[in-house]
Amino acid sequence: MIDNPRSPRVRAVAKLAKRGARADTGLFLLEGPQAVDEALRYRPELLVDLYVSVSVQDRLADLIALAAAQGVEAQPVRDNVLEAMADTVTPQGVVATARHLSSDLDAVLAAGPRLVAVLEEIRDPGNAGTIIRAADAAGADAVLLTGRSVDMYNPKVVRSTTGSLFHLPIVQDLELEPTLDRLRAAGVTILAADIDGGELPELGERLAQPTAWLFGNEARGLLDEHVALADASVRVPIYGHAESMNLATAASVCLYQSAFAQRARA
């Protein structure tokens, strides 16, 4: 039982909310039963430590049993200890630490990707996590983040993925232009999501080809020089009176439109 919220171990877990600590340790923070369950089912080798509040042990008995079956012991902690570890204001009774994933661009390209999301200067953790989740749901082969985007291990990103972080390759800290060049050399068409582009429905059969969608900053979108790196620029039309569309929502539409077209062709 860990009962001291100011112990060195508790502080070390809490520090993983900071990028520097994550970089130094090669670990990141997982919070909540859903994220931990997905890690145990899909990437159990990544889990290092699991902490469960004594007040929810009975309710999380299945999760604790799954962890034990994967060789991970759930360590009981007082509620105030788990609160000190967690990044959220109202944690859900379980926190874990996990090793960084080991995906790289070479492996993504070697697998012959047909649908990829590329994130350039996505700064909002919620948007980044939601796009990763949407890419996973649409059956994308990878998500690539440039070095100007938010850290994929930011606790808010991790929570927003609701476990999708463990379902598909995610590579970060890439340089945009050489990454797009390598995708194109692998036979992947680059489509930039841009408000001044052609309308998405007009692409038709082009969407059935291997495609990488390029998404830009929430506030200003893609820079002109980045749009110029794509094979075409595309916008999601707004048929109603909304002034604009949330980035993650627009990205979901684009990814699913490609997924529909590719599966219709298969």
Side-chain angles (χ1 to χ4, degrees):
M1 169 74 71
I2 302 176
D3 56 10
N4 180 5
R6 288 181 289 277
S7 71
R9 188 170 190 178
V10 173
R11 290 181 176 179
V13 174
K15 283 181 180 178
L16 294 178
K18 304 296 184 182
R19 185 165 190 165
R22 295 193 296 270
D24 290 341
T25 61
L27 302 176
F28 68 102
L29 188 66
L30 282 175
E31 292 188 49
Q34 179 68 30
V36 173
D37 183 80
E38 295 297 318
L40 286 168
R41 292 182 187 280
Y42 290 90
R43 299 298 303 272
E45 76 281 3
L46 296 177
L47 280 190
V48 176
D49 290 308
L50 175 62
Y51 305 95
V52 180
S53 291
V54 290
S55 62
V56 300
Q57 280 183 308
D58 291 344
R59 179 162 55 85
L60 297 181
D62 289 345
L63 183 69
I64 293 170
L66 176 61
Q70 298 287 12
V72 180
E73 180 184 358
Q75 302 177 57
V77 301
R78 297 292 184 191
D79 287 358
N80 63 336
V81 169
L82 192 120
E83 290 172 1
M85 290 177 168
D87 181 63
T88 53
V89 176
T90 54
Q92 300 176 55
V94 57
V95 162
T97 60
R99 300 179 185 89
H100 290 183
L101 289 85
S102 59
S103 300
D104 59 53
L105 184 57
D106 288 340
V108 169
L109 296 175
R114 293 191 55 80
L115 183 58
V116 176
V118 182
L119 279 55
E120 159 61 21
E121 204 184 354
I122 306 300
R123 297 296 180 87
D124 182 84
N127 275 331
T130 301
I131 293 173
I132 291 171
R133 184 180 181 185
D136 177 26
D141 299 295
V143 177
L144 310 178
L145 291 84
T146 69
R148 288 153 55 88
S149 291
V150 65
D151 178 21
M152 63 182 276
Y153 299 113
N154 179 298
K156 293 179 181 178
V157 175
V158 175
R159 290 197 300 274
S160 297
T161 72
T162 63
S164 287
L165 191 74
F166 303 107
H167 298 168
L168 77 170
I170 305 170
V171 186
Q172 68 173 1
D173 294 328
L174 296 169
E175 291 293 330
L176 181 62
E177 187 168 356
T179 297
L180 298 183
D181 287 343
R182 294 190 64 189
L183 284 165
R184 188 177 290 108
V188 179
T189 298
I190 313 299
L191 298 179
D194 182 66
I195 194 170
D196 295 321
E199 292 199 356
L200 179 60
E202 296 174 357
L203 286 177
E205 285 296 305
R206 291 185 67 184
L207 287 174
Q209 304 302 315
T211 298
W213 279 100
L214 174 59
F215 304 110
N217 181 264
E218 296 89 342
R220 60 176 177 272
L222 292 164
L223 299 177
D224 290 344
E225 55 263 38
H226 295 157
V227 173
L229 298 174
D231 297 300
S233 60
V234 186
R235 68 183 177 91
V236 178
I238 294 178
Y239 299 125
H241 301 292
E243 183 272 331
S244 62
M245 187 179 293
N246 173 270
L247 171 64
T249 302
S252 300
V253 173
C254 293
L255 290 164
Y256 259 97
Q257 196 75 11
S258 287
F260 293 150
Q262 291 180 0
R263 279 155 179 73
R265 173 71 69 84

